[in-house]
Amino acid sequence: MSLSIPARVFTRCVLCCFLIAHAATASESPPAPQSARVADLAEQRFSRGTAVPAWVDTIPELPPALKEGAFSARLNDVQFRVDATSVVYAHRAFVANEASALGALGQYEVQFQPEYQTVELHSLRILRGATVIDKLASASIRFLQRELNLDQGIYSGIVTAAIVTDDVRVGDTLELKYSILGQNPVFAGKFFEAAQWDSPYAIALRRVSIDTPATRKIHYKLLGAAGGKGPVPGVSSKAGRTLIRFQEKDIPQKLPEPYVPADVIAYRYFQFSELENWRDVNQWALRLFSVDQGASNLKDALAPARAAPTRELAVARVLEFVQNEIRYLSLSLGENSHRPYTPDQVLERRYGDCKDKSLLMVSMLRALDIDAMPVLVSTAQRKGLDGMLPSPLLFDHAIVRVLVNGKEYFLDPTRRGQYGALDRMGQAHTGAQVLVIKPGSTGLATITGEQADTGRLERVTVQDFDKPVDMLVRRSYNGVAAEYVRLQLEGLSKEQLHKAYDGVLGERYPSSRMIGEPIVRDDRAGNVLLVETTYRIDKFFDAQESGWQFRYVPSNMTDMFYVPGNARRDFPFAVPNFPSRTTYVLEVQLPEKVDANYKDAVSELKFAPVDVSETLSFTGRTLSARVDVAITGDRVDPRQLIPFLDGIKKFNAVLNGSLVVRKSDVKGGAPVVARRTLKEQLELNLAATTRLIADADLAGQDASETLCERALVLAYLGQSAEAIKDAGRAVQLRAQSGDMWKCRADTYFMAGKFSESDSDFSRAIARGSDNAATYLGKAINGLFLGKTASARIDFGRSAEKAEGAASRLQVSVWQAITNWQEGSRAATAPAGDQEATEWRAAARNMFLLDQAPDLMLRLASRDGGNGIDVRLTEAYFYAGKYYLLKQDKSRARVYFRRTVDKGVVDSLYHTVARHELSRLEK
């Protein structure tokens, strides 16, 4: 693999610098070597057998166990005591319903910070039927300082107390009660917490309580609740204290969905905060990030910046110093989980984490009289902070905001690879809501930034069609993408660099080999990085009877998107790389005997939030193909996932490009480059899907999606038997997927097996594929079965679910056709639509008002362009259907034949026109 931006990640993962210990988290990571001092301190801070605090409201009897899932909770009760020393009390009871859950039941883990917290284990017992087995004294407790982020230079001081219970069996309940006392002193006694409500396991009784002095107001908010549904709090007062309690019974397990945007909260949880507003968070942070402009060690560090001719360059030099001269290392112990070390300490040590580096950078810039402020960032959840309670716990990263000559910049001192002009530097935090720490700050700001641009140019020089060709490959990166690759290349030796790029074309061109060495061109001022390599390809063209064909693959686009296995979702689907633009250009310089000048062939593909354009051109002896992909949004609404997946399939066809230079046209000076015909595209798709299915079969993987795709391709090519076989196998593999049943329904419909298609459409809808396209297909199929009444209902459902004016108009044409067939044709068109200028509206009016198809055909032909064949395929069918309803079978046959002759075999209207012709011939 060549060195490049990962297809799904354009920004470096930013190290999270703010670490807070919370109770009861589990990890499977192996423990790191323990620090004896920390382990001893943790053991001293842990006790067992202490009494449950008197303030705790105990639950005397556990509810019955739920049998849902291998593991469930009979009780999950957490009580927060807000006081001078805050306490978290937990009473939990878990059940192993199956043997697979015994490992989770037998080891319970509590995380705490022995620097300022103590743990009291009050009781630990196993409930086995009517038998109660006390395990408090016999349980083995080990203290593990795992330091999960040690490889990233982060020392947190968090210790995990692993409570190991022996002799646990299926059906056992593990019940334990414990308290965690103490709070990070950096919060100055203020209360902030969160309590997850939903879980991956079922909970018979969930309870969360806040016990606070009446003089202290604790704000709470339920996040992640669909429609705001959640437990109603009970509030009571007694002896100068207020008790807020949330309770819910029989909470089902909630399984997570993959690829959900970070700001979408899938599990309900409660957030608690004692702060009133963002002004309070700002005041807290100001005390931590106090800037000492008189730091003694700044003089030498500032020398390069003081010599800079402009203030922008001075800022860039300070940033370069902090990024490159201060290595990243986080000692997030005690208060220093949030409180930065002083600039003097950081300069002396020559290391620091995000908050240390940010405070140092701000101090250096202010010493230069440059307006600079520290900024708090959430790398986990960039959006949606304004809908949450103000709290320091929302932030896990710190950067710097600089104001130079009236222009605002957000700079991250933990990144590297940034040089040159400030406005050319990449922005890794684009779109993030942040808190700028400055006097008077009262709200959040949003970081704006440029899109990530990457490109790939392949320039091929052809001496003759039967000789080896040379291909120059130029990879280009701008902004944050350039910075990422710059760091990748920085530590490579010449030999490693050669190995990284050698052989990368082997899969596409097995005979290719790299000649020369990779050339890196780094424009640091403009923040543009180019990597050039040259390859020799012995067999570039495939000789054919009519000419020469060659394939191209935009390899910088082949892994751009996740493809979920299930199109049914509750939450949005995350689209990576937003905002970004990716470009692929192929330029082929043909032999001198070739000469041509043809109009560019341009095609576009849009499926929100992706815009794709492809341009093929042939001028002189230069043949080129260009593909541009713009990511315009970061998510797909669950209701739009099926159109998105359909778009991905069409996009994958673009990624298997091929062009042909016809042999007969070379000598006469009028060569023709044949853009892939639809049939050629389908045949390429057929070959590609066949390879994928074979690979999946060998690997034992689910190939249902690919089988469905190949079934449709085979159906388009007229190979109905093979198509139905593939679709049937797809249904067998994923019988619960409505999409697979719809695939077979479509295949049956194209084969003219209307009864089988009707049955499969119904099954598809019952299994969740109840979208506009499914209802439309079922309705049209129903018309061929003579089920006009049920078709009318299905068209209505399709119209209700249709997205966009064009889709709704398409359904309305079919509704007008159905009305005519039932003898209920309208006498007027919809209000304001008598002079419709949209061709589908004219088609609808043609059936509603019994108008000749002339206007519709004229409007459908008006715009020309590469989409005209698709439009006319549909329009010709409507004309044929109009004349058929008029009992003019001769004209109907003419227009149905025109529909088929357009050759758009993957169009619904090509199929229905074939069926109409077949019925007319009978």
Side-chain angles (χ1 to χ4, degrees):
M1 293 292 292
S2 65
L3 291 172
S4 61
I5 293 295
R8 296 168 177 159
V9 180
F10 272 112
T11 59
R12 181 175 67 92
C13 177
V14 181
L15 297 175
C16 300
C17 310
F18 297 164
L19 301 174
I20 301 109
H22 289 285
T25 60
S27 171
E28 297 179 356
S29 300
Q34 293 193 55
S35 161
R37 186 190 71 81
V38 174
D40 290 344
L41 180 61
E43 191 167 358
Q44 295 169 19
R45 299 276 188 167
F46 190 101
S47 62
R48 52 178 134 183
T50 57
V52 172
W55 58 267
V56 168
D57 179 18
T58 59
I59 295 178
E61 185 176 351
L62 298 177
L66 300 176
K67 299 302 182 181
E68 181 182 359
F71 183 87
S72 67
R74 295 176 66 180
L75 174 67
N76 189 349
D77 180 33
V78 176
Q79 301 179 37
F80 298 101
R81 173 82 169 185
V82 181
D83 224 326
T85 300
S86 292
V87 183
V88 181
Y89 167 81
H91 181 188
R92 293 187 166 107
F94 301 106
V95 181
N97 296 321
E98 298 177 9
S100 60
L102 290 175
L105 193 69
Q107 179 167 315
Y108 186 86
E109 298 185 349
V110 179
Q111 288 190 345
F112 69 108
Q113 275 275 12
E115 293 277 343
Y116 52 79
Q117 288 180 320
T118 60
V119 178
E120 296 178 354
L121 180 60
H122 308 303
S123 70
L124 175 68
R125 58 185 191 166
I126 290 177
L127 312 180
R128 185 174 295 154
T131 304
V132 178
I133 307 170
D134 191 336
K135 291 288 185 178
L136 182 65
S138 63
S140 172
I141 302 177
R142 300 187 178 186
F143 300 96
L144 312 174
Q145 190 181 8
R146 285 175 165 149
E147 296 298 359
L148 301 180
N149 297 302
L150 185 63
D151 60 334
Q152 297 177 330
I154 300 177
Y155 297 83
S156 68
I158 295 174
V159 170
T160 299
I163 305 170
V164 180
T165 306
D166 62 358
D167 188 25
V168 293
R169 307 177 187 179
V170 173
D172 282 355
T173 296
L174 178 75
E175 180 190 26
L176 74 165
K177 304 174 184 178
Y178 63 91
S179 298
I180 301 177
L181 296 79
Q183 183 189 35
N184 194 331
V186 77
F187 298 128
K190 292 292 184 181
F191 181 79
F192 319 101
E193 265 297 349
Q196 184 170 302
W197 202 253
D198 295 319
S199 293
Y201 49 83
I203 306 173
L205 176 60
R206 177 73 167 117
R207 192 171 78 160
V208 173
S209 308
I210 304 288
D211 182 348
T212 178
T215 55
R216 297 177 67 172
K217 184 176 181 180
I218 306 300
H219 304 275
Y220 57 85
K221 189 168 188 176
L222 178 64
L223 300 171
K229 296 179 181 178
V232 177
V235 181
S236 60
S237 298
K238 185 178 180 181
R241 298 188 68 86
T242 300
L243 180 67
I244 307 170
R245 173 161 294 158
F246 305 88
Q247 182 171 308
E248 187 175 355
K249 295 180 180 179
D250 298 335
I251 303 175
Q253 66 176 350
K254 191 174 183 65
L255 301 178
E257 290 183 352
Y259 315 132
V260 175
D263 60 284
V264 174
I265 302 171
Y267 285 1
R268 293 177 298 166
Y269 77 92
F270 279 98
Q271 185 194 8
F272 306 102
S273 177
E274 195 170 0
L275 299 187
E276 292 286 339
N277 46 47
W278 293 108
R279 181 188 294 108
D280 291 346
V281 182
N282 178 65
Q283 289 299 320
W284 166 81
L286 277 172
R287 291 190 292 270
L288 300 182
F289 286 85
S290 60
V291 179
D292 180 10
Q293 297 191 28
S296 59
N297 294 337
L298 292 182
K299 181 178 179 181
D300 292 341
L302 284 172
R306 292 191 186 280
T310 65
R311 294 170 70 82
E312 289 90 344
L313 186 54
V315 173
R317 287 182 178 177
V318 169
L319 178 66
E320 182 179 351
F321 173 84
V322 179
Q323 285 183 342
N324 298 331
E325 299 298 326
I326 307 297
R327 81 178 192 272
Y328 187 94
L329 179 64
S330 176
L331 298 182
S332 299
L333 307 174
E335 286 196 36
N336 289 109
S337 63
H338 290 74
R339 185 184 300 281
Y341 289 98
T342 68
D344 275 347
Q345 289 175 299
V346 176
L347 283 170
E348 181 180 356
R349 295 171 173 177
R350 290 287 168 139
Y351 66 73
D353 62 16
C354 63
K355 55 190 180 293
D356 305 326
K357 284 172 161 262
S358 294
L359 180 58
L360 172 60
M361 184 174 173
V362 169
S363 300
M364 294 176 69
L365 292 173
R366 289 189 181 177
L368 298 172
D369 294 324
I370 294 174
D371 187 347
M373 302 290 175
V375 177
L376 299 184
V377 181
S378 171
T379 61
Q381 184 167 332
R382 298 188 177 195
K383 300 178 182 178
L385 299 187
D386 53 350
M388 307 175 78
L389 296 179
S391 169
L393 300 187
L394 298 178
F395 303 103
D396 60 3
H397 191 53
I399 60 174
V400 175
R401 190 223 67 170
V402 181
L403 193 63
V404 185
N405 296 330
K407 191 170 183 179
E408 186 178 54
Y409 302 94
F410 288 90
L411 306 172
D412 189 339
T414 66
R415 300 190 70 232
R416 291 179 55 236
Q418 293 188 295
Y419 304 94
L422 296 180
D423 57 4
R424 293 298 299 160
M425 290 184 181
Q427 180 51 258
H429 305 289
T430 298
Q433 290 183 316
V434 300
L435 183 64
V436 180
I437 306 306
K438 64 179 180 179
S441 185
T442 61
L444 300 171
T446 300
I447 297 177
T448 59
E450 88 296 343
Q451 64 183 12
D453 289 348
T454 63
R456 181 183 179 97
L457 167 67
E458 296 180 348
R459 182 171 292 151
V460 180
T461 303
V462 182
Q463 299 299 328
D464 211 334
F465 292 109
D466 58 354
K467 292 182 178 179
V469 303
D470 288 347
M471 176 186 287
L472 169 70
V473 179
R474 177 182 297 152
R475 305 158 182 87
S476 61
Y477 310 94
N478 295 338
V480 69
E483 293 157 4
Y484 186 94
V485 176
R486 187 176 290 129
L487 288 179
Q488 284 187 306
L489 298 175
E490 194 174 77
L492 296 184
S493 66
K494 182 178 179 180
E495 290 74 17
Q496 289 172 322
L497 185 64
H498 183 98
K499 186 176 181 180
Y501 288 99
D502 191 18
V504 297
L505 294 181
E507 184 175 352
R508 199 191 332 167
Y509 307 111
S511 65
S512 65
R513 59 192 181 280
M514 188 168 71
I515 54 178
E517 297 296 329
I519 300 172
V520 179
R521 307 183 191 278
D522 191 357
D523 175 9
R524 294 191 172 188
N527 203 16
V528 177
L529 188 140
L530 304 176
V531 181
E532 294 183 354
T533 49
T534 302
Y535 302 87
R536 182 152 294 158
I537 304 169
D538 291 336
K539 185 174 176 54
F540 182 72
F541 292 96
D542 291 327
Q544 299 179 341
E545 184 176 349
S546 60
W548 300 268
Q549 182 184 43
F550 64 90
R551 296 182 299 113
Y552 62 92
V553 178
S555 55
N556 56 332
M557 301 176 178
T558 54
D559 195 26
M560 293 189 72
F561 304 105
Y562 300 114
V563 179
N566 188 353
R568 296 196 66 189
R569 296 173 64 90
D570 295 322
F571 298 102
F573 178 75
V575 177
N577 306 335
F578 169 77
S580 67
R581 180 174 292 277
T582 307
T583 302
Y584 169 81
V585 177
L586 170 70
E587 294 180 358
V588 181
Q589 195 73 11
L590 295 165
E592 292 184 359
K593 56 188 175 181
V594 176
D595 187 20
N597 186 12
Y598 296 94
K599 182 180 179 180
D600 291 353
V602 181
S603 60
E604 293 184 346
L605 172 64
K606 295 181 183 291
F607 54 102
V610 182
D611 292 344
V612 182
S613 67
E614 182 186 34
T615 303
L616 303 177
S617 68
F618 195 2
T619 302
R621 58 192 184 99
T622 301
L623 173 61
S624 67
R626 178 187 178 101
V627 182
D628 289 278
V629 179
I631 311 297
T632 59
D634 65 348
R635 67 197 64 201
V636 179
D637 186 279
R639 295 167 297 181
Q640 291 299 310
L641 193 56
I642 290 178
F644 174 78
L645 295 179
D646 289 340
I648 293 295
K649 290 180 180 179
K650 294 175 182 176
F651 174 65
N652 288 336
V654 174
L655 299 184
N656 289 281
S658 67
L659 294 169
V660 176
V661 179
R662 292 181 181 169
K663 187 184 299 183
S664 60
D665 294 326
V666 171
K667 291 183 179 180
V672 174
V673 56
R675 175 172 168 75
R676 294 187 308 270
T677 65
L678 178 57
K679 183 179 179 182
E680 289 171 339
Q681 292 181 46
L682 291 171
E683 288 172 344
L684 285 170
N685 195 325
L686 180 61
T689 52
T690 299
R691 289 194 300 269
L692 290 173
I693 292 167
D695 292 343
D697 289 343
L698 286 173
Q701 296 174 343
D702 180 3
S704 55
E705 292 280 355
T706 313
L707 281 164
C708 172
E709 184 176 353
R710 189 172 71 174
L712 296 176
V713 171
L714 288 167
Y716 296 146
L717 293 172
Q719 302 176 41
S720 299
E722 293 85 349
I724 293 171
K725 182 178 178 181
D726 271 357
R729 187 179 165 200
V731 167
Q732 288 177 344
L733 288 172
R734 288 177 59 193
Q736 296 307 312
S737 169
D739 293 343
M740 297 303 106
W741 288 98
K742 180 183 181 299
C743 177
R744 195 169 76 171
D746 289 335
T747 307
Y748 274 137
F749 178 72
M750 283 186 274
K753 296 180 177 295
F754 304 123
S755 296
E756 294 87 342
S757 179
D758 186 62
S759 175
D760 278 2
F761 272 125
S762 297
R763 292 174 178 175
I765 292 169
R767 287 163 175 78
S769 185
D770 54 349
N771 52 68
T774 306
Y775 278 113
L776 180 64
K778 184 174 184 293
I780 295 173
N781 186 78
L783 291 181
F784 281 95
L785 285 171
K787 297 181 177 181
T788 312
S790 62
R792 176 197 287 274
I793 295 172
D794 288 330
F795 281 130
R797 290 172 178 166
S798 181
E800 291 171 0
K801 294 177 175 291
E803 298 285 341
S807 296
R808 288 190 291 271
L809 268 175
Q810 183 184 32
V811 177
S812 73
V813 177
W814 282 100
Q815 288 176 313
I817 292 172
T818 307
N819 290 339
W820 190 330
Q821 289 187 189
E822 284 193 318
S824 56
R825 177 164 51 87
T828 61
D833 196 37
Q834 287 83 357
E835 300 297 330
T837 58
E838 211 286 339
W839 76 270
R840 279 200 181 99
R844 179 189 58 201
N845 293 350
M846 176 179 67
F847 293 106
L848 291 177
L849 306 178
D850 191 2
Q851 296 175 341
D854 298 357
L855 175 61
M856 175 198 67
L857 294 173
R858 186 166 64 251
L859 292 173
S861 305
R862 183 177 58 184
D863 295 332
N866 290 295
I868 191 170
D869 286 344
V870 175
R871 291 198 304 277
L872 288 179
T873 297
E874 184 176 348
Y876 286 154
F877 171 80
Y878 292 146
K881 193 68 177 177
Y882 169 81
Y883 284 116
L884 185 61
L885 292 172
K886 296 279 288 182
Q887 301 300 313
D888 189 343
K889 295 183 179 181
S890 177
R891 286 191 181 183
R893 188 178 288 105
V894 168
Y895 278 105
F896 288 145
R897 175 52 59 192
R898 288 185 183 180
T899 302
V900 173
D901 289 345
K902 293 304 293 182
V904 187
V905 296
D906 60 347
S907 167
L908 165 68
Y909 297 91
H910 179 95
T911 299
V912 290
R914 281 195 299 104
H915 292 332
E916 293 286 9
L917 284 171
S918 178
R919 294 205 303 190
L920 284 170
E921 289 170 1
K922 291 179 182 178

